Amino acid sequence: MLKGIHLTLLIGPGVPVPAPKILMDSLTAIQVTNGKDRSGFQLTFTIGKTSPILTTLLAAGFFDPIITRVIIIATVNGFPNVLMDGLIANQELTPSNEAGKSTLTITGEDLSLAMDLVEMVVPFTGMPDVAAIYLSLAPYTALGIAPIVIPPAISPIPVPTNSWRSQAKVTHRALLKDLANKVGYIFVVQPGPLPGQSVAYFGPDINLPIPQPALSINLDGHSNVESLGFSLDGKAKKIKIFTVFDPITKKVPVPVPVPNINFLKPPLGLRPTPPAKIEFESEGANEDTLTSAQKILGYMMNNSTAISGNGSLDVLRYNGILRARMLVGVRGSGLAYDGMYYVDSVTHNIKKGEYKQNFTLSRDGLISNTPLVLV
C-alpha cells in the first residue's frame, strides 16, 4: 500500500486463508469500524463482466454470509494490527453499463454476530451472573474467542427452590448485553491480538491506561491530524434519585440521590461539568436491597461524559494506528480542551495508496489535569 504499511486479507468459509491475487487486485476500499459496543467492516471490489469474482467465486459461495470469515491485518512499521476478525453478513452487487465499473460490496460484523443467530431457552439454576456468562460464551471458544469476565460487584443468587433465572427466547448476545447494561458493564468482542483470536470482554468500561502518541492540531509542521473538533453538552450530566424501602420494615421509602460520577473512569479535566438535570427512577422501589444496590451501582458505572471530540488523521503522518478503547493526548487545541481523552471509536478507511482514520473522543472536564502528553 504505502511505505511502511502492508495490508493482509484472510477470507474463506470456516478457516480463512490468504485472499487470492485476483481478489486483492480488485479490492478498491476497506472500511473497518471499532467501537465499544460492536465492530463492523465493509470490502468494496471493482469487477468486470468476465471477472472470475463474478463468474466463479460469487457463484461458488465464496462470499456466502455467516459461514465466511474475514480477517483484516494492517502491518505498520513491522508491527501487525488485527483490525477485524468477523463474519460476512451481507453482499451487494451493483452492475454498471461502463466496462469494469461494476462493484461488489461485502459487509460484515465481528464474531459476536455468531452469538446473535439462535434464540434459545436456558435455565441458570442457582447460578451467579458470572457462571451464566461463562456458560453462554463456552460454545464460541471454537471460533478462537477467549472470554474475559469481571464479576459484578453485586450478584444476587435466587434460591433454586423459590425461582431461578432463565435465558428466555433471546440470543446469547442479547442476553450478555442485557446483563451488562443491568450492572453498568459493557460486552464487546475485540479482534486479536493474534490472527484467528478474539477476546470477549464482559466488564466495566475501562480504557487501557496506555497513552498513545498525541493528536496534534494547529502546530504547523508538528500537526499530525487533518481535522479535530470538540463540543461540550451542558445537559449530559445529571443526578438520578432512586427510591428504596428501608430494609427493616420495608415500608418507609428512602430517597437515594446518585451523582453522575464514574469512579472507574475519573474526570480527565480539572473543571468537571456540573450536573444540570435531576431525574427520578420510576422503577425498582419494590425490589430487594441487593437488586436495588446493583441497579444504583450500575448507573454510577454507566454514565455519560460531557465533552466529545471527533476528527480524522492520515496514518502515515500520524506514524501509527490510533486504537479504540485506549487513552490519547491532544495538544494545540487550547488550554480548555488540551490533555488526555478516551478513544471511544475508530473507523479505518483504506484505499490503494491511502490509509486514513476517523475517530471519536470523550472525557469529562475542561483544562487538562496532566502537565504533559506523550508526543
Side-chain angles (χ1 to χ4, degrees):
M1 287 183 53
L2 294 167
K3 184 179 180 181
I5 300 178
H6 180 74
L7 178 68
T8 304
L9 175 64
L10 307 179
I11 185 172
V15 179
V17 296
K21 185 176 183 301
I22 181 64
L23 209 61
M24 296 301 295
D25 292 341
S26 302
L27 183 61
T28 56
I30 297 177
Q31 185 178 81
V32 178
T33 300
N34 302 125
K36 63 180 181 180
D37 182 52
R38 67 175 64 177
S39 301
F41 67 91
Q42 187 175 84
L43 308 176
T44 303
F45 302 93
T46 300
I47 56 179
K49 186 183 345 183
T50 60
S51 171
I53 297 177
L54 184 62
T55 60
T56 304
L57 295 180
L58 188 60
F62 191 80
F63 303 101
D64 280 359
I66 307 303
I67 65 173
T68 305
R69 188 169 176 177
V70 174
I71 299 178
I72 303 172
I73 307 169
T75 303
V76 180
N77 298 327
F79 186 82
N81 300 268
V82 181
L83 304 183
M84 174 53 59
D85 187 351
L87 301 174
I88 292 177
N90 183 59
Q91 56 178 247
E92 182 178 348
L93 178 65
T94 306
S96 175
N97 291 324
E98 299 182 36
K101 295 296 183 179
S102 300
T103 59
L104 174 66
T105 304
I106 304 299
T107 306
E109 300 180 23
D110 58 52
L111 291 179
S112 67
L113 176 62
M115 307 176 186
D116 204 31
L117 301 176
V118 181
E119 294 183 350
M120 58 186 67
V121 178
V122 180
F124 301 126
T125 309
M127 290 186 184
D129 288 340
V130 65
I133 295 165
Y134 275 118
L135 181 62
S136 300
L137 291 174
Y140 306 102
T141 55
L143 295 176
I145 301 177
I148 296 181
V149 179
I150 309 300
I154 301 175
S155 182
I157 305 175
V159 179
T161 55
N162 296 334
S163 65
W164 61 76
R165 183 177 54 229
S166 298
Q167 176 183 340
K169 292 184 180 180
V170 295
T171 63
H172 281 149
R173 184 164 72 177
L175 172 71
L176 292 168
K177 287 189 176 295
D178 181 66
L179 289 175
N181 289 333
K182 185 176 66 174
V183 297
Y185 281 9
I186 63 170
F187 172 72
V188 62
V189 176
Q190 297 179 303
L194 298 177
Q197 294 182 349
S198 293
V199 174
Y201 174 74
F202 184 99
D205 184 13
I206 301 177
N207 298 66
L208 292 177
I210 304 174
Q212 303 177 84
L215 303 172
S216 303
I217 188 72
N218 196 26
L219 293 177
D220 298 327
H222 297 286
S223 300
N224 57 13
V225 299
E226 296 181 341
S227 64
L228 182 60
F230 298 96
S231 64
L232 190 154
D233 185 359
K235 299 184 295 182
K237 309 296 287 186
K238 58 188 178 182
I239 294 176
K240 201 164 191 176
I241 298 178
F242 291 79
T243 302
V244 298
F245 287 111
D246 71 288
I248 300 177
T249 65
K250 297 183 179 181
K251 293 182 179 180
V252 180
V254 179
V256 181
V258 181
N260 199 205
I261 299 175
N262 189 343
F263 58 89
L264 294 177
K265 294 182 71 173
L268 296 176
L270 292 177
R271 288 182 53 206
T273 306
K277 299 173 63 178
I278 298 178
E279 294 183 354
F280 288 83
E281 173 63 28
S282 58
E283 300 178 358
N286 295 322
E287 294 175 343
D288 59 86
T289 305
L290 280 180
T291 303
S292 298
Q294 184 187 60
K295 184 174 291 187
I296 292 173
L297 185 62
Y299 170 75
M300 293 184 64
M301 297 173 62
N302 198 23
N303 57 20
S304 60
T305 52
I307 298 177
S308 61
N310 60 81
S312 63
L313 61 83
D314 189 307
V315 169
L316 195 61
R317 189 170 184 180
Y318 183 66
N319 197 29
I321 294 179
L322 184 68
R323 304 306 299 259
R325 299 188 49 73
M326 295 179 66
L327 293 174
V328 69
V330 171
R331 61 180 189 148
S333 60
L335 175 64
Y337 289 100
D338 275 355
M340 301 301 297
Y341 284 82
Y342 301 109
V343 183
D344 289 338
S345 67
V346 171
T347 299
H348 308 259
N349 297 296
I350 306 173
K351 298 179 180 179
K352 291 185 178 180
E354 179 181 292
Y355 189 166
K356 296 186 177 183
Q357 291 182 281
N358 297 328
F359 54 86
T360 60
L361 313 174
S362 68
R363 83 173 185 195
D364 190 28
L366 296 171
I367 306 177
S368 174
N369 56 11
T370 55
L372 297 172
V373 295
L374 179 65
V375 179

